[in-house]
Structures are given as C-alpha cells and as structure tokens.
Amino acid sequence: MTETAACVGSFTAVKALWEVRIEKINTELRKERQFRQRAAGRLTLVWEERVSLTKLKEKVVTEDGRVILKIEHEEWKTLPSCLLKLNHLQEWQLHRTGLVKIPEFISRFQNLIVLDLSRNSIVELPTQIGQLSNLQELNVSYNKIKTVPKELSNCVSLERLELAVNRDISELPHQLSNLKKLYHIDLSMNQFTTFPSVILEMPNLEWLDMGSNKLKEIPGNIDSQRIPKQLTNTFLHNRHPVRMENLHTLWLQRNEITNLPEAICSLTNLSTLVLSNNKLQDIPVCMKDMTNLRFVNFRDNPLKLQIILPPCESEEEEEEQELYGIQFMHAYIEELLSRKENTGNNIATINNK
C-alpha cells in the first residue's frame, strides 16, 4: 500500500509540473500571437495611411498660387491623421464627401486661408478651429451644425462666414463681435427668431442673409449704438454712431416680419433689400429717401394698399420692371402720402363746419 501511494504521489507531482510547463508555453504562444497581430495591424495601418496619403496627394492642386485640397463626390466620412503631412495646404474644398467630423488636428493647419466643407454631414465645429488665425473664409453651409463655438471669435482674419442651411442654429456667441474684418455672413435657413445682437456690433458688415428663418421683427435700434451715460453729453452735438453703416445687401425673405422700423432708413448705403414672403402691412414713408437703394422686393406680403403700376412703354422696360420692386415702393409711398393728405383735408373740412 505504501508503494502504491508513493507512485500516485509521484505521478501527481509530475502531472502538476507538466501542466505548469504547458501553461507557460501556451502563455508565451499567446503573447507571440498577439505581438504578431499587433505588428500586422500596425503594418496594415501604415499601409492604409500610405494609400490614403497617396490618394490625398492626388487631390491637391495649385490655383492662382494657392495650394488646394479638392475632393467632391467621394466618401471621406473621417479624415486620416496622415493628412497632417500636408499641413502646408492653404485651402480645403471638400464637398459631398459625407464628412461627419472636422478633425481636432485642424489647428495644425496654420496656413489655411479658406475652409470650405459645405454639403456634408458635419454635426459640430471643434473648438480648435479658433486657432486658425489666418483663416479668411469658413463655409460650412448645408451641414447639421447646431451651435457655433465662441472660440471662432479667435479667427481674427475671418472675412466670410457661411452657415446657411444647417437648419438648427438659433443663436451666435457674443464673442464674435471680435471679428472686425468680417463683412459677409449667410445665416439663411436656420432657426433664428430674433436678430443676433452680435451682428449689430460688427462694424464692417456689408452683406447679410437671414432669409428663411423665423424672424418676427427687425430691431428698432438697428441703426444706432447704445451710448454709455458718461458719454451722453459728448454726443449731444454729434450724430449718434451708426450701426451697420457699411451694409449694402440685406436678405430677409421668407420670415414672419410684420413691420419695418423707421431706423432702417438710416442704413444709407443699403442698395439691396429683399423682404418677399413676410407679413408686412405697410412700407415706411422714409424709405423714399433711401437714394442708394437699387433693388427691393416686397412680393408676397399682405400690404394694405393695392398698387397698380403704369403700363410700360416697351417690352424691354417691362422685363426690367420688378412688379414689387423699387418702382412699386415709390408708387406705394406716394399713394400712402396722398391718402393721408386727403384724410387730413377731410378732417380739417369737418372741423371748419
């Protein structure tokens, strides 16, 4: 019995020893297999990046001395990190690529002058975009952006900002008033219910499109800045500083505007004013003095007066005449003044009796 027990004990010890050795060998084999897989993965990644970089380089062109990355109608939902090797690019034009995210490494492209990513599926602007101090034009129209980061105000060279047809943007950060060079903004087809106050603080703004929003009014102080109390006396003998005095084009079509403030007549450089498809009932009389106004459109508004323009003398004149344009505006104002004068005369006659 003693010999049998000794044999069993020896066998158990040998078995345990072999199990430990086998487990050790299996562990080493797993580590080697994982190492090979990681190495293969790295090799695959390197290869894919080389392929991507080659494809990207094929999309780089030079136009008017500017190095541009042009991609259209190709699927690039994300941009590979190998793009950093092209950080000398001065312009991106990526249209209809399905891009869903602007990479955070965008801040490394310090030579960018134009960033045109319109007609994609971008959902947000990264805060890093504010580090592009040389950026002059940003176009992210026709995307899915909902908010504009305050960091965009650090793009001090920005001149054009295109945010049209994102459909959900409803406000702008007040910090954008730092964009002193900005002269062109397109905010059409979004969810603005009021004029963003920051727009009124942009001294060089020339072109503004807020069509197809939900605006109910144009702010009554659109033409003048607030004057601090301590400076009130200083301005007693001077005209108030005029806001938006450089504005020459204003698009407000397809909103819910019910009336125009007389302050709009102070925008003396305004040459184009589009107000079609609103809820206007009248035209301010002072608009007859807006001598720089060349094109205006009041079509599809429930105006109180029905105005019929005199017949045109030639077909060319008829083609040039806009039914609800500048001629219509002047005729409307003349009719309005005439009716007010007649009403005043009638009241005076009654009083005399």
Side-chain angles (χ1 to χ4, degrees):
M1 291 296 294
T2 303
E3 292 180 359
T4 302
C7 289
V8 171
S10 298
F11 176 77
T12 301
V14 170
K15 180 182 178 184
L17 180 63
W18 274 105
E19 286 177 347
V20 170
R21 288 181 177 177
I22 291 170
E23 180 60 28
K24 184 177 181 181
I25 292 171
N26 287 337
T27 299
E28 290 176 352
L29 287 173
R30 281 196 300 271
K31 288 181 178 179
E32 183 178 356
R33 186 161 56 249
Q34 290 172 356
F35 174 80
R36 288 178 178 177
Q37 287 175 346
R38 285 195 296 269
R42 286 194 295 270
L43 185 61
T44 300
L45 183 61
V46 169
W47 175 252
E48 288 177 350
E49 286 194 345
R50 286 181 179 177
V51 172
S52 295
L53 183 59
T54 300
K55 288 175 65 178
L56 289 170
K57 285 181 176 178
E58 291 173 353
K59 305 297 181 182
V60 175
V61 299
T62 301
E63 294 179 0
D64 299 325
R66 186 179 294 179
V67 185
I68 304 172
L69 175 65
K70 277 190 174 185
I71 305 177
E72 190 166 1
H73 293 294
E74 291 185 16
E75 187 170 311
W76 290 81
K77 291 186 177 181
T78 58
L79 295 172
S81 59
C82 64
L83 182 58
L84 283 167
K85 295 184 178 179
L86 301 177
N87 64 1
H88 63 290
L89 290 169
Q90 294 171 289
E91 184 172 337
W92 288 10
Q93 290 186 17
L94 276 63
H95 306 149
R96 296 182 175 88
T97 66
L99 185 68
V100 298
K101 184 179 181 180
I102 301 175
E104 294 180 357
F105 60 69
I106 187 72
S107 60
R108 303 275 293 276
F109 289 80
Q110 287 298 306
N111 294 312
L112 271 182
I113 296 173
V114 175
L115 184 57
D116 186 348
L117 304 175
S118 55
R119 299 183 184 277
N120 284 292
S121 299
I122 300 167
V123 296
E124 67 176 351
L125 294 174
T127 58
Q128 290 80 1
I129 204 169
Q131 298 178 39
L132 301 178
S133 57
N134 293 310
L135 191 67
Q136 296 177 12
E137 181 177 340
L138 174 61
N139 187 344
V140 284
S141 295
Y142 292 89
N143 277 283
K144 299 177 181 179
I145 296 167
K146 294 185 177 181
T147 59
V148 179
K150 63 182 181 180
E151 287 78 8
L152 184 62
S153 63
N154 295 322
C155 296
V156 293
S157 298
L158 198 64
E159 297 177 356
R160 294 176 61 96
L161 178 58
E162 305 271 355
L163 294 167
V165 201
N166 277 280
R167 300 188 185 281
D168 287 318
I169 301 175
S170 60
E171 59 183 358
L172 297 178
H174 66 86
Q175 289 88 347
L176 294 192
S177 60
N178 294 331
L179 301 177
K180 305 301 183 185
K181 295 184 178 180
L182 197 65
Y183 71 88
H184 176 112
I185 306 179
D186 191 344
L187 301 172
S188 59
M189 294 191 72
N190 278 292
Q191 293 293 322
F192 289 94
T193 57
T194 60
F195 257 66
S197 59
V198 65
I199 287 181
L200 304 180
E201 307 302 331
M202 294 178 176
N204 291 313
L205 194 61
E206 298 179 5
W207 196 99
L208 173 62
D209 190 344
M210 291 200 69
S212 299
N213 277 279
K214 296 181 179 179
L215 301 176
K216 297 186 183 301
E217 63 179 5
I218 298 174
N221 61 344
I222 192 172
D223 65 330
S224 59
Q225 299 175 4
R226 290 181 180 176
I227 303 172
K229 290 183 179 179
Q230 64 270 27
L231 296 179
T232 302
N233 292 334
T234 305
F235 286 95
L236 284 177
H237 302 292
N238 299 300
R239 71 178 180 89
H240 288 187
V242 176
R243 283 173 163 169
M244 306 181 82
E245 61 181 340
N246 293 314
L247 192 70
H248 60 68
T249 300
L250 180 56
W251 296 77
L252 295 170
Q253 72 284 359
R254 297 186 183 88
N255 277 287
E256 300 171 14
I257 300 169
T258 57
N259 63 78
L260 298 178
E262 291 198 2
I264 199 168
C265 303
S266 298
L267 303 180
T268 55
N269 287 312
L270 202 62
S271 60
T272 297
L273 177 60
V274 180
L275 290 158
S276 53
N277 290 95
N278 275 279
K279 297 180 179 180
L280 293 172
Q281 296 186 16
D282 250 329
I283 300 174
V285 172
C286 64
M287 288 188 72
K288 66 182 176 59
D289 298 321
M290 297 178 72
T291 55
N292 286 321
L293 202 57
R294 295 289 179 269
F295 179 83
V296 67
N297 193 333
F298 286 98
R299 184 182 294 276
D300 296 320
N301 278 281
L303 294 168
K304 292 178 180 178
L305 304 183
Q306 297 293 323
I307 302 298
I308 299 175
L309 294 176
C312 298
E313 296 181 358
S314 65
E315 291 184 3
E316 291 182 1
E317 185 181 343
E318 188 173 353
E319 290 177 0
E320 291 178 0
Q321 178 178 289
E322 168 57 48
L323 182 59
Y324 290 91
I326 197 76
Q327 288 177 286
F328 172 84
M329 183 188 81
H330 285 296
Y332 188 98
I333 292 173
E334 287 177 9
E335 179 64 21
L336 188 63
L337 289 173
S338 176
R339 294 195 181 192
K340 284 184 178 179
E341 184 179 351
N342 291 335
T343 301
N345 291 336
N346 290 336
I347 292 173
T349 300
I350 293 172
N351 288 338
N352 289 334
K353 289 182 180 180

